[in-house]
mmCIF file of all heavy atoms in Angstrom:
data_model
loop_
_atom_site.group_PDB
_atom_site.id
_atom_site.type_symbol
_atom_site.label_atom_id
_atom_site.label_comp_id
_atom_site.label_asym_id
_atom_site.label_seq_id
_atom_site.Cartn_x
_atom_site.Cartn_y
_atom_site.Cartn_z
ATOM 1 N N GLY A 44 -22.301 15.404 9.054
ATOM 2 C CA GLY A 44 -22.160 16.616 9.822
ATOM 3 C C GLY A 44 -20.832 16.924 10.218
ATOM 4 O O GLY A 44 -20.154 16.011 10.861
ATOM 5 N N ASP A 45 -20.229 18.107 10.158
ATOM 6 C CA ASP A 45 -18.924 18.376 10.582
ATOM 7 C C ASP A 45 -18.901 18.339 12.173
ATOM 8 O O ASP A 45 -19.947 18.389 12.858
ATOM 9 C CB ASP A 45 -18.466 19.778 10.077
ATOM 10 C CG ASP A 45 -19.153 20.933 10.605
ATOM 11 O OD1 ASP A 45 -20.410 20.767 10.775
ATOM 12 O OD2 ASP A 45 -18.586 21.899 10.993
ATOM 13 N N ARG A 105 -23.434 15.318 2.759
ATOM 14 C CA ARG A 105 -24.219 14.063 2.886
ATOM 15 C C ARG A 105 -24.635 13.687 1.424
ATOM 16 O O ARG A 105 -25.321 14.413 0.732
ATOM 17 C CB ARG A 105 -25.427 14.251 3.751
ATOM 18 C CG ARG A 105 -25.146 14.700 5.040
ATOM 19 C CD ARG A 105 -26.357 14.618 6.001
ATOM 20 N NE ARG A 105 -26.297 15.591 7.084
ATOM 21 C CZ ARG A 105 -25.915 15.231 8.349
ATOM 22 N NH1 ARG A 105 -25.442 14.000 8.558
ATOM 23 N NH2 ARG A 105 -25.967 16.138 9.304
ATOM 24 N N THR A 159 -18.265 13.075 15.110
ATOM 25 C CA THR A 159 -19.620 13.554 15.245
ATOM 26 C C THR A 159 -19.837 14.153 16.634
ATOM 27 O O THR A 159 -19.266 13.683 17.504
ATOM 28 C CB THR A 159 -20.692 12.486 15.005
ATOM 29 O OG1 THR A 159 -21.977 12.968 15.461
ATOM 30 C CG2 THR A 159 -20.308 11.193 15.707
ATOM 31 N N ILE A 160 -20.529 15.270 16.676
ATOM 32 C CA ILE A 160 -20.689 15.827 18.034
ATOM 33 C C ILE A 160 -21.746 14.918 18.844
ATOM 34 O O ILE A 160 -21.637 15.171 20.153
ATOM 35 C CB ILE A 160 -21.242 17.356 17.985
ATOM 36 C CG1 ILE A 160 -22.611 17.324 17.307
ATOM 37 C CG2 ILE A 160 -20.297 18.267 17.225
ATOM 38 C CD1 ILE A 160 -23.378 18.653 17.478
ATOM 39 N N ASP A 161 -22.404 14.045 18.283
ATOM 40 C CA ASP A 161 -23.441 13.342 18.946
ATOM 41 C C ASP A 161 -23.029 12.222 19.961
ATOM 42 O O ASP A 161 -23.795 11.898 20.747
ATOM 43 C CB ASP A 161 -24.411 12.648 18.003
ATOM 44 C CG ASP A 161 -25.315 13.730 17.241
ATOM 45 O OD1 ASP A 161 -25.259 14.909 17.571
ATOM 46 O OD2 ASP A 161 -25.986 13.272 16.226
ATOM 47 N N MET A 203 -28.506 19.796 20.331
ATOM 48 C CA MET A 203 -28.441 18.863 19.320
ATOM 49 C C MET A 203 -28.457 17.466 19.718
ATOM 50 O O MET A 203 -28.084 17.136 20.934
ATOM 51 C CB MET A 203 -27.305 19.142 18.252
ATOM 52 C CG MET A 203 -27.658 20.209 17.295
ATOM 53 S SD MET A 203 -26.312 20.273 16.026
ATOM 54 C CE MET A 203 -27.238 21.196 14.807
ATOM 55 N N GLY A 204 -28.844 16.537 18.862
ATOM 56 C CA GLY A 204 -28.838 15.149 19.288
ATOM 57 C C GLY A 204 -30.142 14.530 18.672
ATOM 58 O O GLY A 204 -31.071 14.382 19.286
ATOM 59 N N ARG A 205 -30.040 14.320 17.339
ATOM 60 C CA ARG A 205 -31.271 13.726 16.680
ATOM 61 C C ARG A 205 -31.772 12.478 17.164
ATOM 62 O O ARG A 205 -32.943 12.249 17.382
ATOM 63 C CB ARG A 205 -30.854 13.617 15.137
ATOM 64 C CG ARG A 205 -31.957 13.690 14.187
ATOM 65 C CD ARG A 205 -31.593 13.679 12.767
ATOM 66 N NE ARG A 205 -30.176 13.263 12.563
ATOM 67 C CZ ARG A 205 -29.436 13.641 11.586
ATOM 68 N NH1 ARG A 205 -29.847 14.423 10.639
ATOM 69 N NH2 ARG A 205 -28.118 13.294 11.519
ATOM 70 N N ASP A 206 -30.770 11.590 17.423
ATOM 71 C CA ASP A 206 -31.171 10.213 17.958
ATOM 72 C C ASP A 206 -30.565 9.929 19.304
ATOM 73 O O ASP A 206 -30.571 8.834 19.827
ATOM 74 C CB ASP A 206 -30.646 9.088 17.014
ATOM 75 C CG ASP A 206 -31.273 9.391 15.589
ATOM 76 O OD1 ASP A 206 -32.418 9.562 15.373
ATOM 77 O OD2 ASP A 206 -30.443 9.467 14.690
ATOM 78 N N ILE A 210 -25.324 14.845 24.467
ATOM 79 C CA ILE A 210 -24.924 16.296 24.660
ATOM 80 C C ILE A 210 -25.967 16.791 25.843
ATOM 81 O O ILE A 210 -25.461 17.432 26.763
ATOM 82 C CB ILE A 210 -25.264 17.060 23.337
ATOM 83 C CG1 ILE A 210 -24.229 16.591 22.363
ATOM 84 C CG2 ILE A 210 -24.952 18.639 23.696
ATOM 85 C CD1 ILE A 210 -24.255 17.322 20.895
ATOM 86 N N GLU A 255 -32.768 17.569 20.721
ATOM 87 C CA GLU A 255 -33.679 17.724 19.639
ATOM 88 C C GLU A 255 -34.551 16.529 19.267
ATOM 89 O O GLU A 255 -35.578 16.744 18.676
ATOM 90 C CB GLU A 255 -32.931 18.308 18.394
ATOM 91 C CG GLU A 255 -31.953 17.324 17.797
ATOM 92 C CD GLU A 255 -31.221 17.911 16.570
ATOM 93 O OE1 GLU A 255 -31.965 18.457 15.832
ATOM 94 O OE2 GLU A 255 -30.193 17.617 16.297
ATOM 95 N N HIS A 287 -26.922 25.070 15.340
ATOM 96 C CA HIS A 287 -25.593 24.767 14.766
ATOM 97 C C HIS A 287 -24.409 25.417 15.397
ATOM 98 O O HIS A 287 -23.245 25.152 15.084
ATOM 99 C CB HIS A 287 -25.541 25.077 13.216
ATOM 100 C CG HIS A 287 -26.344 24.033 12.452
ATOM 101 N ND1 HIS A 287 -27.706 24.013 12.390
ATOM 102 C CD2 HIS A 287 -25.943 23.052 11.796
ATOM 103 C CE1 HIS A 287 -28.074 23.018 11.674
ATOM 104 N NE2 HIS A 287 -26.952 22.300 11.327
ATOM 105 N N ARG A 290 -21.853 23.113 16.528
ATOM 106 C CA ARG A 290 -21.092 22.334 15.564
ATOM 107 C C ARG A 290 -19.725 23.123 15.296
ATOM 108 O O ARG A 290 -18.847 22.456 14.664
ATOM 109 C CB ARG A 290 -21.854 22.052 14.274
ATOM 110 C CG ARG A 290 -22.931 21.065 14.434
ATOM 111 C CD ARG A 290 -22.484 19.770 13.775
ATOM 112 N NE ARG A 290 -22.522 20.011 12.402
ATOM 113 C CZ ARG A 290 -23.546 19.668 11.566
ATOM 114 N NH1 ARG A 290 -24.676 19.229 12.060
ATOM 115 N NH2 ARG A 290 -23.559 19.985 10.231
HETATM 116 O O1 F6P B 613 -25.285 14.261 13.575
HETATM 117 C C1 F6P B 613 -24.687 15.417 13.953
HETATM 118 C C2 F6P B 613 -25.819 16.544 14.079
HETATM 119 O O2 F6P B 613 -25.433 17.718 14.358
HETATM 120 C C3 F6P B 613 -27.172 16.200 14.771
HETATM 121 O O3 F6P B 613 -27.045 16.395 16.138
HETATM 122 C C4 F6P B 613 -28.161 17.043 14.074
HETATM 123 O O4 F6P B 613 -29.459 16.488 14.325
HETATM 124 C C5 F6P B 613 -27.780 16.927 12.667
HETATM 125 O O5 F6P B 613 -26.448 16.752 12.691
HETATM 126 C C6 F6P B 613 -28.052 18.312 11.961
HETATM 127 O O6 F6P B 613 -27.635 18.076 10.604
HETATM 128 P P1 F6P B 613 -27.545 19.076 9.569
HETATM 129 O O7 F6P B 613 -26.349 20.121 9.726
HETATM 130 O O8 F6P B 613 -27.426 18.559 8.188
HETATM 131 O O9 F6P B 613 -28.809 20.031 9.680
#
Side-chain angles (χ1 to χ4, degrees):
D45 66 320
R105 300 189 203 270
T159 165
I160 63 165
D161 289 352
M203 273 189 165
R205 198 172 20 204
D206 307 306
I210 296 177
E255 65 172 324
H287 284 79
R290 287 254 290 267

